[in-house]
Amino acid sequence: MDPTAGVEQPHGITLPVGWNEVLFAFERHLRSERGRSEHTVRAYLGDVRSLVGFLATTGVDDLAGVTLRDLRAWLAALAQDGAAKATIARRSAAARTFLGWATRTGRIDLDPSLRLAAPKRGGHLPEVLRQSDASALLDVAAVASDDQDALHLRDRAALELLYASGIRVGELTALDIDDLDLDRGVVRVMGKGGKERTVPFGIPAREAVQAWLQLGRPQVVGADSGPALFLGRRGRRADARQIRSSLHSLLAHVPDAPDIGPHGLRHSAATHLLEGGADLRLVQELLGHASLATTQIYTHVSVDRLKQSYRQAHPRA
C-alpha cells in the first residue's frame, strides 16, 4: 500500500517522502488507535499539513529538524496572513498533539512544542435560543408534521430528540433503532473516542419519535435503510446536512430567533438545563464532555443571559 495514499498534500508543495510517511502514520493513529471521527481526522490532518507545508518551504525535511523557533515562525506567518486567533489556537493545539504523538512513538527524542504558546481564543459565547424560541421552533415542527409527510415527521422527531438530549448531530444521525428505549425514555449514544453513554429524553421527544417510526419511516424505508433510525427521502441513513437544512428552514418561521445550527441547539439544551437548576456535572455527563471545563462555558452563557434580563427589567440597572 502506498504510504501517502489518502493524505492530501499542501497546495503547490511537494513533500519529502519522510513527511508523507509520518502523515500517513499519524492519520492511522487518529483513525485506528484514537477512534476519532472522520471530521476530526480531516481537521487534524489539515492543521498538521499546514505546519508540514510551512516547514518544507523553509528546508526542514524531517521531524528531527523541527525546533520551537520553527513552530513560532509558522504561527507568526499564519497571523501575518490574517488567520483568526481561534484558527491559530486550533492549529497550535493540533501541532502539539502531532508532536506529542511523534515523541511518544519514538520518532523524535524531545517535543519542541512543549513551550509553544498560542493566542487565546476569543471569549465569544455560543449563540443559543431563548426557551420560548425553542418551544416555538418545536411547535412549528409539530404543525409541519401534521400532513404526515415522512420528512416532516422525521424533522420533528430529530429536533425534539436533539433538544431533549443535547446530543451532537453526528451522534443523532448515527443512531440505530435499537439504540432507543422508548419505554424507559433513554437513548444509547456513541460519542467521541468511541465512548458510549446513555442519555434520557422526555415525553414530547418520545411521542415525536414514535410518530416517525409508526407513520414516517415506513414511507421511505428501503433495501439500503438497514437499522438506521433516521432516513432520507431515498431510504438511506439521514446525514447531518439534511438535519441542519431542516433546522434552518423551520427556524425561519420563529420571529427574532437566531439562525443557529444543530450544535446551537445542543448549546441551547445545555444552557436551559443549567437555567433550570441542573447540576453542572450532570450536564457534563449528558453532553459527553471529557472535561468539566468544557461544560463550564454554559454557566457563563446562563450568567450572561441573567445579566441581560436584569438590565432589561430592573429599574436601577
Side-chain angles (χ1 to χ4, degrees):
M1 180 177 179
D2 181 358
T4 67
V7 181
E8 181 184 345
Q9 308 307 338
H11 180 67
I13 298 173
T14 301
L15 298 180
V17 173
W19 276 126
N20 290 332
E21 292 174 346
V22 169
L23 286 172
F24 176 75
F26 183 58
E27 178 182 13
R28 185 173 55 200
H29 162 72
L30 292 173
R31 293 184 192 280
S32 304
E33 298 172 30
R34 296 290 296 276
R36 297 302 191 189
S37 69
E38 185 64 29
H39 173 78
T40 300
V41 171
R42 284 199 305 268
Y44 268 114
L45 289 177
D47 291 338
V48 172
R49 283 196 297 266
S50 168
L51 169 61
V52 171
F54 174 83
L55 294 172
T57 63
T58 61
V60 179
D61 56 8
D62 60 30
L63 274 170
V66 181
T67 66
L68 178 60
R69 178 176 295 180
D70 294 325
L71 298 176
R72 287 172 173 167
W74 169 56
L75 296 183
L78 290 174
Q80 189 171 8
D81 288 342
K85 286 185 178 180
T87 299
I88 296 174
R90 190 197 69 232
R91 291 198 166 180
S92 175
R96 287 194 293 271
T97 297
F98 172 60
L99 292 167
W101 162 81
T103 306
R104 290 192 304 274
T105 55
R107 288 173 168 82
I108 52 177
D109 295 328
L110 183 64
D111 183 352
S113 71
L114 290 176
R115 292 191 292 120
L116 180 64
K120 293 183 178 180
R121 294 174 181 266
H124 300 294
L125 297 174
E127 195 166 31
V128 296
L129 297 175
R130 296 184 296 269
Q131 293 187 35
S132 58
D133 289 340
S135 295
L137 167 67
L138 298 173
D139 286 344
V140 169
V143 170
S145 70
D146 283 344
D147 62 3
Q148 297 192 358
D149 175 81
L151 294 196
H152 293 166
L153 289 164
R154 180 204 68 189
D155 293 342
R156 179 196 175 200
L159 296 185
E160 283 279 10
L161 194 53
L162 277 175
Y163 179 62
S165 63
I167 63 177
R168 302 174 178 91
V169 67
E171 295 170 343
L172 177 93
T173 55
L175 291 176
D176 292 337
I177 295 175
D178 288 346
D179 291 325
L180 282 172
D181 186 334
L182 291 175
D183 291 334
R184 294 174 57 214
V186 295
V187 59
R188 183 176 65 242
V189 178
M190 189 63 69
K192 290 184 176 181
K195 295 181 180 178
E196 184 180 299
R197 68 186 191 280
T198 299
V199 183
F201 55 87
I203 294 174
R206 182 174 63 190
E207 291 176 345
V209 171
Q210 284 176 325
W212 156 247
L213 289 174
Q214 294 169 6
L215 303 174
R217 194 176 186 276
Q219 296 180 43
V220 294
V221 69
D224 297 327
S225 300
L229 174 59
F230 292 113
L231 306 174
R233 181 72 74 184
R234 297 183 179 180
R236 300 187 183 95
R237 184 183 293 273
D239 59 32
R241 178 187 55 80
Q242 293 168 332
I243 304 301
R244 184 175 297 107
S245 176
S246 300
L247 174 56
H248 289 312
S249 296
L250 291 167
L251 269 174
H253 298 282
V254 181
D256 300 323
D259 186 25
I260 63 170
H263 209 67
L265 202 56
R266 173 174 160 87
H267 289 318
S268 302
T271 302
H272 299 165
L273 277 167
L274 288 170
E275 289 176 344
D279 179 76
L280 187 63
R281 288 201 176 275
L282 169 65
V283 176
Q284 176 193 4
E285 184 176 346
L286 291 176
L287 297 180
H289 286 160
S291 168
L292 188 63
T294 308
T295 316
Q296 284 176 328
I297 188 174
Y298 299 111
T299 64
H300 301 315
V301 175
S302 297
V303 170
D304 184 65
R305 288 158 66 91
L306 176 62
K307 287 180 178 178
Q308 182 179 357
S309 298
Y310 176 84
R311 285 192 296 267
Q312 291 174 347
H314 199 288
R316 303 284 286 182

